[in-house]
Amino acid sequence: MNNIRIILCDDHAILREGLRMLLLKQPNIEIIAEASSGEEAKRLAEQHSPDVLIMDISLRDSNGISVTRDIINKDPRIAILILTMYNDKEYLISALKAGAKGYLIKEGTIEDMIKAINIVYKHQIYIDRRFGTETINEVMQKIKDKCLEENNDILTPREKEILALISEGKSNKEIAAFLNISAKTVDVHRSNIMRKL
């Protein structure tokens, strides 16, 4: 199994040192760099392209959420795990909308962190259990709805029409007859829909 290559970003040196010592005890984790500011985190992310970047929200020079957005815009392959003291639903939603894959509260254990790292490494969403099931489900639904809205906006009116007919279980031939176009045209539209979504 490949090592998970991690960059730590927190403006408290003691916290970074403690995290590094705990994480290096794990057999599959490698700390490749450390940042004490948002600007340094962006530079190091571009330079090293880590698997996971552990990011504090409150940095002296910037906001960890906006830094997350900047990093993800440049390299969406980097999974960002927010590590914060804020047990706040609005922060959580903002972090996930910015592209973070995980949100972990600092009150947690090292076991929570290892679990979070392994989940975000697979590009799955991790939300700290302290938020409770109801809040987690609500937040995930909001994020899902937002993604569906964004995906829907990139389809042409004809593609939306065809997508609706596909969802009704109609074949290419049936869609072609219904819309009075060729089955080959439907096939092209279907390919474009798949590519976009």
Side-chain angles (χ1 to χ4, degrees):
M1 184 178 169
N2 290 339
N3 280 351
I4 302 173
R5 299 164 61 255
I6 293 176
I7 290 178
L8 300 175
C9 178
D10 195 296
D11 52 12
H12 296 97
I14 290 175
L15 193 125
R16 283 198 320 274
E17 179 72 19
L19 267 180
R20 183 161 47 80
M21 287 170 65
L22 288 168
L23 291 175
L24 286 175
K25 290 180 180 176
Q26 304 304 312
N28 65 327
I29 286 178
E30 181 185 348
I31 307 298
I32 57 171
E34 294 178 33
S36 60
S37 71
E39 285 307 310
E40 191 179 11
K42 287 192 263 189
R43 183 178 55 76
L44 290 171
E46 194 170 350
Q47 186 181 334
H48 296 286
S49 192
D51 299 311
V52 176
L53 196 154
I54 298 173
M55 170 82 66
D56 190 7
I57 281 184
S58 301
L59 300 167
R60 283 192 195 99
D61 70 330
S62 53
N63 174 310
I65 291 173
S66 61
V67 174
T68 295
R69 188 177 295 107
D70 291 343
I71 289 171
I72 295 300
N73 283 341
K74 278 201 164 181
D75 190 350
R77 293 169 303 172
I78 298 172
I80 296 186
L81 172 62
I82 298 289
L83 178 64
T84 181
M85 61 185 168
Y86 298 116
N87 184 351
D88 183 287
K89 187 166 73 174
E90 294 314 309
Y91 275 117
L92 167 62
I93 291 169
S94 296
L96 294 177
K97 280 184 177 174
K101 289 284 181 251
Y103 194 98
L104 181 66
I105 297 163
K106 285 181 177 178
E107 295 167 14
T109 64
I110 189 63
E111 286 76 22
D112 291 334
M113 174 161 275
I114 300 305
K115 182 179 179 184
I117 288 169
N118 281 297
I119 288 173
V120 302
Y121 173 64
K122 296 173 190 160
H123 280 261
Q124 296 168 353
I125 300 291
Y126 176 89
I127 298 174
D128 197 297
R129 58 191 162 78
R130 284 162 193 77
F131 280 101
T133 310
E134 196 176 312
T135 301
I136 290 171
N137 289 341
E138 180 193 334
V139 168
M140 291 304 285
Q141 191 58 50
K142 279 185 181 178
I143 299 298
K144 190 176 164 189
D145 290 346
K146 180 73 180 148
C147 288
L148 287 174
E149 280 170 31
E150 285 170 358
N151 284 338
N152 213 18
D153 288 345
I154 62 173
L155 296 179
T156 66
R158 178 60 100 187
E159 286 167 349
K160 287 178 187 176
E161 201 174 10
I162 288 171
L163 183 59
L165 294 167
I166 291 169
S167 69
E168 290 172 16
K170 291 191 175 2
S171 69
N172 281 9
K173 198 173 176 181
E174 289 169 325
I175 294 169
F178 184 78
L179 296 175
N180 201 24
I181 57 177
S182 74
K184 193 169 182 176
T185 302
V186 174
D187 197 44
V188 169
H189 282 306
R190 188 189 279 261
S191 296
N192 288 337
I193 292 165
M194 292 297 286
R195 180 176 49 79
K196 287 179 178 181
L197 301 184

